Amino acid sequence: MTYIILAPMQGYADFTMRQILSKIGGFDEVVSEFVRITHTRHSLKTWQKKVPELKMGAKTLSGVPCTVQLLGSDADNMAENALVAVLAGAQKIDLNFGCPAPVVNRHSGGAALLDKPELIYRIVSTIKNRLPENIVLTAKMRLGLRDTSKTIDCANAIKDGGAMSLTVHARTKDEQYNPPAHWEWFAIIQAAVKIPLIANGDIFSPDDYQRLLKICTPDGIMLGRGVLRNPFLALQIKGLITDTIDTTKIIAVLNRFVILCQEMNMGEQYVSARLKQWLNLLQQSYPPFALLLNQIKKENNIENIKRVLASFQAA
Ligand SMILES: Cc1cc2nc3c(=O)[nH]c(=O)nc-3n(C[C@H](O)[C@H](O)[C@H](O)COP(=O)(O)O)c2cc1C
């Protein structure tokens, strides 16, 4: 069955979102939001705060393995931090070579490294050589910074550095999130670089996945925004559910999300902000949620929000 990973998504796929989505099912792995490594060495406690799954055997509450993602450009400091993350409980480390954020790129992190395959190699190999053998190291990249002239060099650097697999978001940094994602590059990379490849970018439906399979045969896929718009997408792609996902089912998910947040003492402000943020994305797939979003726009009290959710469901 297709190996499916929940994409790291800073500001969206945080601890609570990873719990709710992995509980719905279909995921074999989730990845933390990137943890930025600059000049400091995060303490063990900081790692566990940033990635709470580390205190739970590096798994979500429903038992799905959680990989820790690091972003940085200083190979030695990243290796030191990776070792602390391992002491804190990490079993698998992923390296981010794709973040397009200017603040990150200014410090040569994320996608900026795609212009420097030799530095990518140094980072991957330094970390690989310092990690205990049982800790898995993977990497995630975009196709390039401005163009695809160094795509294969970067993929080779990641393979030669010792990463076990490579996730490719099939766009350059300059393309940001503009469609289309260039899926043809998965097959090109697979032909040139012998490393297990995880395909990522614009897989929004089971039909998209079937289209992807006509272009390449990836070793797995990674789903990001598609899952936020349809939390059942991984289950659908695996063929584990076939029923239509209507607004009632989504409201039930939102209710579970609110309850989970309350159980985790996340605070009213957090819960209402995150719920609104999620509804904002969900309304792209479910237009009636625009109305729901409007109804809770100015509401921060959780019990009131729950009442609105219940009455929306009943309507
Ligand atoms: C809001 C947001 C935050 C993201 N944060 C990260 C991140 O922390 N680390 C990372 O490697 N990629 C990050 N990404 C990129 C996604 O992991 C993924 O590669 C991208 O969204 C394409 O996949 P999709 O079309 O399935 O969404 C982020 C994307 C979005 C939209």
XYZ file of all heavy atoms in Angstrom, residues 7-10 12 32-34 69 96 140 169 171 177 200-204 222-226, ligand 1:
231
model
N 2.918 16.127 5.345
C 3.971 17.127 5.104
C 4.200 18.015 6.332
O 3.258 18.321 7.067
C 3.569 18.006 3.919
N 5.448 18.436 6.512
C 5.699 19.471 7.525
C 5.073 20.769 7.028
O 5.248 21.133 5.859
C 7.230 19.574 7.544
C 7.672 19.087 6.204
C 6.648 18.082 5.753
N 4.317 21.430 7.885
C 3.729 22.724 7.491
C 3.775 23.672 8.678
O 2.948 23.595 9.593
C 2.295 22.536 6.987
C 2.229 22.013 5.563
S 0.538 21.803 4.973
C 0.018 20.368 5.885
N 4.772 24.534 8.639
C 4.983 25.530 9.684
C 3.718 26.361 9.884
O 3.158 26.887 8.921
C 6.154 26.432 9.257
C 6.608 27.422 10.279
C 7.353 26.745 11.421
O 7.882 25.653 11.276
N 7.366 27.391 12.567
N 0.803 25.392 10.616
C -0.440 24.632 10.371
C -0.370 23.231 10.985
O -1.196 22.883 11.822
C -0.713 24.496 8.863
C -1.237 25.767 8.250
C -0.371 26.786 7.870
C -2.600 25.953 8.059
C -0.848 27.961 7.315
C -3.088 27.124 7.501
C -2.204 28.126 7.131
O -2.673 29.289 6.581
N 7.486 16.959 11.763
C 7.304 18.187 12.565
C 7.468 19.420 11.688
O 8.049 19.349 10.593
C 8.346 18.232 13.690
O 9.603 18.647 13.184
N 6.970 20.543 12.171
C 7.305 21.819 11.532
C 8.832 21.959 11.620
O 9.450 21.389 12.529
C 6.656 22.971 12.296
C 5.141 22.892 12.339
C 4.570 23.755 13.458
O 4.563 23.305 14.615
O 4.121 24.855 13.180
N 9.442 22.722 10.718
C 10.905 22.805 10.789
C 11.340 23.476 12.094
O 10.690 24.392 12.578
C 11.511 23.516 9.572
C 11.233 24.983 9.448
C 11.850 25.915 10.286
C 10.386 25.466 8.456
C 11.620 27.271 10.156
C 10.135 26.820 8.313
C 10.746 27.726 9.171
N 12.090 17.654 11.812
C 12.749 18.343 10.697
C 13.636 19.484 11.180
O 13.211 20.317 11.985
C 11.730 18.881 9.701
C 12.441 19.340 8.430
C 11.525 20.008 7.427
O 10.961 21.066 7.694
N 11.403 19.415 6.251
N 15.660 20.110 5.857
C 14.857 20.953 4.974
C 15.756 21.723 4.005
O 16.520 22.599 4.411
C 14.045 21.927 5.850
C 13.197 22.898 5.048
O 13.610 23.378 4.001
N 12.022 23.213 5.568
N 14.500 16.724 2.351
C 13.391 17.203 1.508
C 13.895 18.413 0.733
O 14.512 19.309 1.319
C 12.224 17.599 2.413
C 11.016 18.190 1.714
C 9.847 18.236 2.693
C 8.585 18.776 2.057
N 8.538 20.238 2.015
N 9.609 18.280 -3.466
C 8.483 19.159 -3.784
C 8.799 19.719 -5.160
O 9.752 20.491 -5.310
C 8.359 20.264 -2.723
C 7.311 21.275 -3.049
N 7.204 22.476 -2.389
C 6.295 21.260 -3.962
C 6.182 23.167 -2.895
N 5.629 22.456 -3.837
N 8.825 21.860 -7.419
C 8.827 23.254 -7.869
C 10.159 23.883 -7.481
O 10.792 23.434 -6.526
C 7.759 24.084 -7.141
C 6.365 23.799 -7.489
C 5.469 24.839 -6.813
N 4.120 24.696 -7.270
C 3.232 23.873 -6.712
N 3.548 23.165 -5.665
N 2.020 23.781 -7.208
N 4.313 28.568 -4.773
C 3.287 27.514 -4.821
C 2.469 27.606 -6.104
O 1.382 27.053 -6.201
C 2.374 27.601 -3.583
C 3.122 27.197 -2.332
C 3.803 28.145 -1.573
C 3.204 25.863 -1.951
C 4.537 27.779 -0.460
C 3.931 25.480 -0.834
C 4.585 26.443 -0.101
O 5.315 26.060 0.994
N 6.037 14.867 -3.850
C 5.266 15.874 -3.116
C 4.933 17.064 -4.018
O 5.753 17.481 -4.831
C 6.072 16.329 -1.885
C 5.469 17.546 -1.191
O 6.118 18.577 -1.063
N 4.245 17.441 -0.749
N 3.717 17.576 -3.825
C 3.301 18.792 -4.528
C 2.025 18.598 -5.321
O 1.990 17.811 -6.273
N 0.975 19.284 -4.870
C -0.300 19.334 -5.608
C -1.020 17.997 -5.745
O -1.728 17.774 -6.734
C -0.080 19.925 -7.010
C 0.241 21.412 -6.942
O 0.462 21.918 -5.830
O 0.272 22.054 -8.007
N -0.872 17.116 -4.775
C -1.705 15.896 -4.779
C -2.911 16.233 -3.898
O -2.830 16.207 -2.671
C -0.921 14.668 -4.241
C 0.377 14.492 -5.028
C -1.802 13.405 -4.327
C 1.337 13.474 -4.437
N -3.991 16.575 -4.546
C -5.167 17.077 -3.821
C -6.336 16.090 -3.808
O -7.343 16.352 -3.147
C -5.641 18.397 -4.446
C -4.654 19.527 -4.273
C -4.129 20.181 -5.374
C -4.254 19.934 -3.003
C -3.217 21.228 -5.216
C -3.347 20.974 -2.840
C -2.832 21.618 -3.944
N 3.953 12.467 -0.213
C 3.772 13.368 0.932
C 2.616 14.308 0.606
O 2.563 14.879 -0.485
C 5.059 14.153 1.181
C 4.915 15.176 2.306
S 6.462 16.081 2.581
C 7.344 14.980 3.668
N 1.699 14.433 1.568
C 0.515 15.278 1.361
C 0.540 16.458 2.315
O 0.719 16.269 3.519
C -0.763 14.472 1.619
C -0.952 13.173 0.823
C -2.200 12.437 1.311
C -1.058 13.474 -0.672
N 0.333 17.650 1.789
C 0.313 18.848 2.633
C -1.044 19.522 2.600
O -1.997 19.092 3.256
N -1.147 20.570 1.777
C -2.366 21.374 1.774
C -3.619 20.564 1.463
O -4.699 20.848 1.984
C -2.218 22.522 0.760
C -1.163 23.541 1.199
C -0.711 24.398 0.041
N -0.129 23.584 -1.020
C 0.000 23.957 -2.281
N -0.407 25.150 -2.645
N 0.540 23.149 -3.182
N -3.459 19.509 0.655
C -4.619 18.682 0.300
C -5.284 18.072 1.524
O -6.513 17.920 1.559
C 1.901 26.888 5.366
C 3.003 25.982 4.903
C 4.072 25.709 5.747
C 5.100 24.855 5.325
N 6.118 24.544 6.191
C 7.082 23.654 5.799
C 8.097 23.207 6.716
O 8.107 23.559 7.900
N 9.036 22.373 6.238
C 9.037 21.921 4.926
O 9.916 21.150 4.535
N 8.078 22.295 4.064
C 7.098 23.129 4.479
N 6.088 23.451 3.623
C 6.029 22.811 2.293
C 5.167 21.536 2.363
O 5.745 20.577 3.213
C 4.965 20.920 0.967
O 6.226 20.633 0.432
C 4.222 21.871 0.030
O 3.094 22.423 0.676
C 3.774 21.137 -1.246
O 2.928 20.060 -0.923
P 1.310 20.165 -1.071
O 1.020 20.608 -2.482
O 0.833 18.760 -0.791
O 0.848 21.166 -0.079
C 5.055 24.286 4.018
C 3.974 24.572 3.182
C 2.952 25.393 3.607
C 1.790 25.657 2.675
